[in-house]
Amino acid sequence: MRLRSIQFENFRNHRSFSFEPEDGINLIYGQNGSGKTSILEGIHYCALTKGFVSAADGECLSFSAGYFLLTALFESSSGIETAVRLSYTKESGKKLQIDGNELKPFSLHIGSIPCISFSPPEIVIVSGPPGERRRFLDNAVCQSDRRYLDNLLIYRRLLQQRNALLQQLSQSPGKDRSMLQLWSENLASSAASVTAGRVRFLAEFHPFVESLHRDLSGGQTPSIEYSSTIGRLLEPVPESELRERFLQRFQENEQQEILRGQTLSGPHRDELIFLSDGRESKRYSSQGQQRTFLISLKLALFQYFNEKIGETPICLLDDIFSELDGKRTAAVLDILEGCGQTLISSADLKNHPGSAVHHLQTTPSTQNS
């Protein structure tokens, strides 16, 4: 997959801006405020319908603007073109058009344009709370497995409905509980499907992480463990077994869940544990080591997607070289040479043979590079 062109209107500090990257590595450099990150975020919006800096859609509007518009043209490795038009207004919210046709729900677009991103705030994937790692895992699996995305959406809906019933039972202790068993059975089946998809992905994904992390870290051995609320899962488990274990846990926690008005077990509470040489990275690794682990995860995603779905993802790497020494920077660039189209933002110009260089000037309204 490659991006042929993208146009910005009123998107962050780009009032009117057109960008046409080259194949291979594209280095986008300029001073802070020149709009480097905004270019990558706009591409991410077109690929995955959201930004990678966790900002609300309204925060992406240029100052005093009432709308933003992103128009992009992508081309697959087989030559098929996809035109994406994504707009947002305060009144109507976000709208997505693919090849001229409005698409709803947005989830139907996920996976059609594989995309890998890196940004400095994402260090929380390694160092932050469990929710950040679950979000990373779900985003990765959704791009490579359409069935998983459907299962995840079903699980979230069932979870919301079961929690609503638990809250009702909490407020009315004498109310009939017979409906809770039905919701528990449905949620257990859905939880099993989501958990099985996550564990299956990690089993396939880990070899890619192991190879890359050893190269970038100087020989450290990484590992990834999935800690579920029904026990630590180190290898794939049949869905039928997972379903019974979830159902048993719901029954064991029923009284406590009613008192608290929420479901206490399930994929929404599971944890992903990253280790380096057997030590948990979140607790024992330095910030530089955590950053190296995160880069390894992101580059491993590229290799995994390329093999799994047969389409080369677009790589969007925001300020990836900060805090990396010269040796690791060179190693990353060498790896990226085989990663199809890559866009890298940097405050400094990094000389690398064969790379396309785009210099952004800091202006009140960026026009072109």
Side-chain angles (χ1 to χ4, degrees):
M1 184 66 64
R2 61 158 296 189
L3 171 68
R4 282 192 170 278
S5 64
I6 184 169
Q7 291 79 42
F8 300 78
E9 289 184 37
N10 299 327
F11 188 82
R12 293 198 180 273
N13 55 338
H14 294 302
R15 290 286 187 177
S16 177
F17 177 71
S18 296
F19 184 65
E20 296 182 3
E22 303 290 335
D23 291 340
I25 299 175
N26 292 261
L27 299 175
I28 306 170
Y29 80 100
Q31 298 179 359
N32 292 335
S34 60
K36 305 182 299 296
T37 298
S38 298
I39 293 176
L40 304 189
E41 188 173 19
I43 299 169
H44 196 276
Y45 254 102
C46 291
L48 297 172
T49 74
K50 60 183 179 180
F52 57 72
V53 294
S54 300
D57 297 326
E59 295 178 19
C60 295
L61 289 169
S62 296
F63 180 71
S64 76
Y67 76 96
F68 71 69
L69 173 63
L70 301 169
T71 308
L73 181 64
F74 297 88
E75 182 181 357
S76 70
S77 57
S78 59
I80 298 175
E81 294 186 344
T82 301
V84 178
R85 187 181 192 274
L86 190 146
S87 62
Y88 170 82
T89 66
K90 296 178 181 178
E91 296 76 22
S92 303
K94 186 162 53 182
K95 292 184 178 181
L96 175 68
Q97 290 184 351
I98 304 298
D99 295 329
N101 300 309
E102 187 169 356
L103 187 65
K104 288 183 179 181
F106 296 154
S107 60
L108 294 174
H109 183 56
I110 306 303
S112 60
I113 300 175
C115 178
I116 307 300
S117 66
F118 171 93
S119 64
E122 288 183 300
I123 191 65
V124 294
I125 292 173
V126 180
S127 64
E132 298 294 339
R133 285 176 286 284
R134 287 195 297 269
R135 187 176 298 110
F136 162 78
L137 180 57
D138 286 338
N139 288 340
V141 188
C142 283
Q143 286 199 69
S144 59
D145 186 349
R146 176 69 215 188
R147 184 179 60 178
Y148 178 83
L149 176 56
D150 294 337
N151 290 336
L152 183 62
L153 294 175
I154 291 171
Y155 176 78
R156 289 174 176 172
R157 184 172 66 251
L158 291 172
L159 176 65
Q160 185 179 30
Q161 292 169 329
R162 186 175 187 270
N163 283 343
L165 178 57
L166 287 170
Q167 291 168 11
Q168 292 176 15
L169 294 173
S170 175
Q171 296 166 6
S172 304
K175 189 172 181 177
D176 182 18
R177 298 185 181 183
S178 58
M179 284 297 295
L180 182 59
Q181 176 64 22
L182 176 60
W183 284 113
S184 296
E185 291 175 357
N186 291 336
L187 190 64
S189 297
S190 183
S193 297
V194 171
T195 302
R198 288 177 175 179
V199 177
R200 184 169 55 248
F201 166 81
L202 290 174
E204 298 173 350
F205 178 58
H206 181 264
F208 297 95
V209 179
E210 186 173 27
S211 175
L212 281 164
H213 189 262
R214 281 178 173 170
D215 290 342
L216 294 177
S217 67
Q220 293 181 342
T221 301
S223 56
I224 304 175
E225 296 181 356
Y226 189 82
S227 179
S228 171
T229 51
I230 57 171
R232 190 159 294 191
L233 303 174
L234 302 180
E235 58 185 19
V237 178
E239 284 191 33
S240 58
E241 179 181 335
L242 292 173
R243 181 187 183 279
E244 292 306 313
R245 290 166 68 174
F246 276 118
L247 188 55
Q248 180 181 356
R249 185 56 55 88
F250 292 153
Q251 293 169 345
E252 292 171 348
N253 293 341
E254 182 175 290
Q255 188 58 40
Q256 186 179 4
E257 289 184 331
I258 291 174
L259 289 173
R260 297 182 61 174
Q262 59 181 304
T263 303
L264 302 178
S265 301
H268 65 292
R269 286 180 171 265
D270 290 350
E271 167 69 299
L272 199 61
I273 302 173
F274 298 136
L275 303 102
S276 185
D277 285 343
R279 295 166 62 87
E280 188 175 356
S281 297
K282 176 182 177 179
R283 297 184 179 183
Y284 301 108
S285 296
S286 66
Q287 187 172 5
Q289 290 172 326
Q290 290 176 350
R291 191 179 183 89
T292 299
F293 202 109
L294 178 60
I295 292 172
S296 300
L297 289 173
K298 295 291 188 170
L299 296 179
L301 276 180
F302 169 87
Q303 295 183 347
Y304 175 81
F305 285 170
N306 194 34
E307 181 174 303
K308 178 75 173 180
I309 64 180
E311 182 65 65
T312 305
I314 296 172
C315 290
L316 308 173
L317 309 176
D318 183 31
D319 197 23
I320 192 173
F321 298 126
S322 64
E323 300 182 22
L324 288 183
D325 57 28
K327 182 177 180 180
R328 284 192 172 91
T329 296
V332 168
L333 286 170
D334 287 343
I335 293 171
L336 291 174
E337 282 188 350
C339 288
Q341 190 182 49
T342 302
L343 292 89
I344 307 172
S345 71
S346 176
D348 303 309
L349 175 61
K350 300 289 183 180
N351 292 316
H352 188 72
S355 300
V357 177
H358 309 269
H359 182 206
L360 293 188
Q361 303 289 343
T362 304
T363 64
S365 177
T366 306
Q367 297 298 320
N368 49 50
S369 62

